[in-house]
Amino acid sequence: MVDVLKAPLVVEFPFTRSLGPVQSAFLTGLRERVVLGVRTRDGRTLVPPVEYDPVTAEEIRDLVHVGVTGTVTTWAWNPAPRRGQPLGTPFAWVLVKLDNADTALLHALDAPGPDAVHTGMRVRIRWAEDRVGAITDIACFEPHDGDESHVRVHTGEFDDPVGGIVAEARLDYTYSPGRAQTAYIKALETERRAVGERCPSCRKVYVPPRGACPTCGVATAEQVEVGPRGTVTTFCIVNIKAKNLDIEVPYVYAHIALDGADLALHGRIGGIPYDQVRMGLRVEPVWTEGGRYPDHYRPTGEPDAEYDTYKELL
Amino acid sequence: MTRDIAVVAFAQSDTLRSTEELSEVEMLMPVLHGVLAQTGLKTADIGFTCSGSCDYLAGRAFSFTLALDGVGAWPPISESHVETDGAWALYEAWTKLLSGDADTALVYSYGKSSPGSLRDVLTRQLDPYYLAPLWPDSVALAALQAQALIDAGDTDERELAQIGARSRSTDNPRAQLKGPVPHGDYLVRPLRTGDCPPIGDGAAAVVLAAGERARDLCERPAWIRGIDHRIEAHSLGVRDLTDSPSARLAAEKAGAFERPVDTAELHAPFTSQEVVLRKALRLDDSTTVNPSGGALAANPMMAAGLARIGEAAARIHRGESDRALAHATSGPCLQQNLVAVLEGDPR
């Protein structure tokens, strides 16, 4: 068993999302320290508000103002806050039915410990200092033993309403390519050899190997050295300079069938003017000092391969 | 056209905390070969292939396409994929067979939770406006539901501990967690570590076949008498967390209430969710619940629901059950529920 490769993989994307009229009013309201719900035709007030009645699917837009105080309908004590959660100290997750609302909002409750929390307890919103029109404008809830907050009608109209949110989504992974690809990468890196795997059924050699024959659906394990020379099976001419890539354009990117392989892999072609690259061109890898994979492939000077010798690999 | 369709084979991998030495297809292939070997079919004999998995587990877009190497997708095959638990892939395959477009189907699903932090990864399936920015993890949401059940008098921590202990007393050789497991400390109160599923990597696969084909492939096919899935509002605050009307409706539509079932395989990753499901599905002590250990013994994401159908079917194959209910869930606090009713031929 090879010692598999591992590397950190961070997937991070700031999703920019538009808000409809209802969500825009709600989130803009939070910015202004006002909580709005939406009224269904049968008179229920939904907070947080949605654009469609969850029972009838009818479009709903009648906004109503609800309290900034409310009642806990259920809770859960979180002794170890995780990244991104509303509070960095132990807190309670709570569903809170705000005064004048008929449904509950999920958020955090700042409390000294689980003994200070119970279903039915009264709480109020603690506003974030910097508010931008997002659910996090509510910093959290806090215990409240005062009166119900004053509730009044609100038009839901604001100056400078929020039209969208940016939803940050970062997830951290440890990526491992598995046994077959680890073996390929290690042989390439440490011995500058390209090692494919042969299918026990159809005998084809796959490179880079992924541990399975996509034709037969069986595991591959028999390692076979391929290359280092190969044949250009097809290519394209790249005219756009990629960010952070120090290669003059135009350059040629090609499929290269290494000798002994039954699958072409990708590579850049160098050492020849871009407009002289052709199908059938015989090439060999060029390594740079400390490189973990070939920097590019260059012509070997051999006669071109006959079309029939690589037509199955296009 | 009405056709009888059955589960004729089931295979699953061991569920392990980490399978980093294997790529997804490497993890999956022995399961695919195992399930096909039970029937004598080859991949080329299969009429329709459907899989379930999730890109967010792998952290890569279209990750399922790489797993297709394991089913021999060349020359081209009839294939589909669902971005959720494989139980829903089975539903799609069942409709395909019902339509007469195919006589056999291979359904598989897999998930590797080990590359990421599962509790955080699952927050990304939540509503992006009101929930996801708060990063409420899967255990926290289940704990809110558990507290609601305790407040309603539906259960208490002692009963939850018993559910965990009973689930893990299974002799299922594929289980990740079995035998005595301490109830443990609170992970998110009122849920303790013992109330929560182990995090693991694994895969499951079943073969479906229609009519006489099923009888050719399996001595005692597990006939799918009904299957249905239903969903409720995403927002937890509009739902009664102590009940599961979607599970009840799916069960009713699948015919589960027409006659008693002797076995129920429930996809309840948290002990408290078994309490909800037992009530919604009207299960009493006459039904054997989760002899496989259920999701509390092994919860490979995207495969645990399909495994419930497979486990229920396998009991029918072995003659240990005559009429079984299988359930799968997805989403926070049992948002989506699928119920299948399986029967063996009378003995």
Side-chain angles (χ1 to χ4, degrees), chain B residues 37 46 51 62 65 70 93 191 194 229 238 246 273 289 305 310:
Chain B
I46 295 291
S51 61
F62 294 97
T65 58
L191 293 179
H229 62 97
V238 306
S246 57
Q273 294 180 342
V289 173

Side-chain angles (χ1 to χ4, degrees), chain B residues 25-47:
Chain B
V25 69
E26 287 168 339
M27 177 180 77
L28 182 60
M29 237 171 337
V31 177
L32 296 171
H33 297 162
V35 80
L36 290 170
Q38 289 176 37
T39 59
L41 294 171
K42 297 192 170 9
T43 49
D45 302 327
I46 295 291

Side-chain angles (χ1 to χ4, degrees), chain A residues 6 17-18 23 49 74-77 79 82 85 93 104 119 170 173-176 179-180 210-211 213-215 217, chain B residues 20-21 26 29 33 56 60 69 72-74 115 117 120 128-130 134-135 137 144 147-148 151 187-189 237:
Chain A
K6 281 188 273 186
R17 293 182 174 274
S18 320
Q23 295 186 127
T74 186
W75 61 285
W77 185 256
R82 303 171 74 80
Q85 294 182 342
W93 289 105
T119 296
R170 176 190 167 124
Y173 299 89
T174 301
Y175 180 71
S176 170
R179 176 201 58 81
R210 292 210 297 259
C213 171
T215 306
Chain B
E20 65 182 12
E21 74 284 3
E26 287 168 339
M29 237 171 337
H33 297 162
Y56 275 81
R60 292 197 310 282
D69 285 354
W74 181 265
S117 169
D120 299 323
Y129 303 99
Y130 303 153
L134 306 176
W135 293 83
D137 60 279
L144 288 166
Q147 185 64 45
D151 287 335
L187 209 49
V188 180
R189 184 171 167 171

